[in-house]
Amino acid sequence: MPSPARQASAKPLYTPEQRMRRDASPWTLVQGVLAPLQFVVFLVSLGLVLRYLATGEGYDAANLSIIAKTLVLYTIMVTGALWERDVYGVYLFAPAFFWEDAVSFIVIGLHTAYLVAIVTGWLTPTEQMLIALAAYATYVVNAAQFLLKLRAARLQAAAAPGTLDDRLELAS
């Protein structure tokens, strides 16, 4: 019986038709811009959260940065669902991205729990920041999932390049 990694590598991430839809979707560019933006917001926010936890200073800055990170996350989730609809015909849980979407919901749940905590006054500021750290740790796992999936797609395209677009994608 083949390993899960071998099974995943046997099935391409995109059919030729899905690749065409991906390339034609305006959401592809939006995702390409939002993903690195979200990572930068995450890094800044992580620094502010850790500073608050270490010194007790800068709660407002850390709080605002977590809210900004959450808003970017919500935006990338909505636009990602629109992208998935364009490419795979479903808004979420396309087989090719099932586990990435599943973990994304955990990330969103933790970010939303943080927002609920600050709006309701639930938990202390330190406990709220710990929720944010849990959300951020899960976000890192989710980002790694997507990066590994995209790397696998590039490797698959390299193994059987069928178009000039495939070769150009690999060169970038």
Side-chain angles (χ1 to χ4, degrees):
M1 182 166 172
S3 71
R6 181 173 284 233
Q7 289 174 344
S9 67
K11 183 171 171 144
L13 187 59
Y14 305 105
T15 64
E17 296 80 19
Q18 290 166 339
R19 181 180 295 278
M20 287 175 33
R21 289 193 300 266
R22 178 204 67 189
D23 293 346
S25 175
W27 303 114
T28 301
L29 176 61
V30 171
Q31 291 294 288
V33 170
L34 286 176
L37 172 66
Q38 180 177 212
F39 189 72
V40 169
V41 173
F42 156 73
L43 288 176
V44 170
S45 184
L46 178 63
L48 292 169
V49 168
L50 293 175
R51 176 179 166 242
Y52 172 77
L53 289 172
T55 67
E57 296 177 13
Y59 172 80
D60 290 338
N63 184 47
L64 289 175
S65 74
I66 298 165
I67 293 169
K69 166 69 173 73
T70 303
L71 293 176
V72 174
L73 173 68
Y74 288 166
T75 303
I76 203 168
M77 187 65 184
V78 168
T79 59
L82 295 170
W83 176 87
E84 221 168 303
R85 173 75 170 127
D86 282 357
V87 176
Y88 294 103
V90 295
Y91 285 104
L92 290 167
F93 299 109
F97 285 95
F98 178 85
W99 289 109
E100 291 79 5
D101 288 349
V103 175
S104 290
F105 272 94
I106 297 168
V107 175
I108 288 171
L110 288 165
H111 280 77
T112 302
Y114 178 84
L115 294 180
V116 169
I118 62 167
V119 167
T120 63
W122 179 54
L123 305 175
T124 67
T126 297
E127 291 167 332
Q128 293 168 0
M129 294 294 157
L130 293 175
I131 291 175
L133 286 181
Y136 287 3
T138 310
Y139 160 73
V140 168
V141 169
N142 197 221
Q145 285 180 297
F146 280 104
L147 291 173
L148 289 171
K149 181 71 59 127
L150 296 176
R151 181 177 182 277
R154 286 182 181 225
L155 291 174
Q156 288 169 349
T163 66
L164 177 60
D165 289 342
D166 290 338
R167 291 186 292 278
L168 291 174
E169 182 178 290
L170 290 169
S172 63

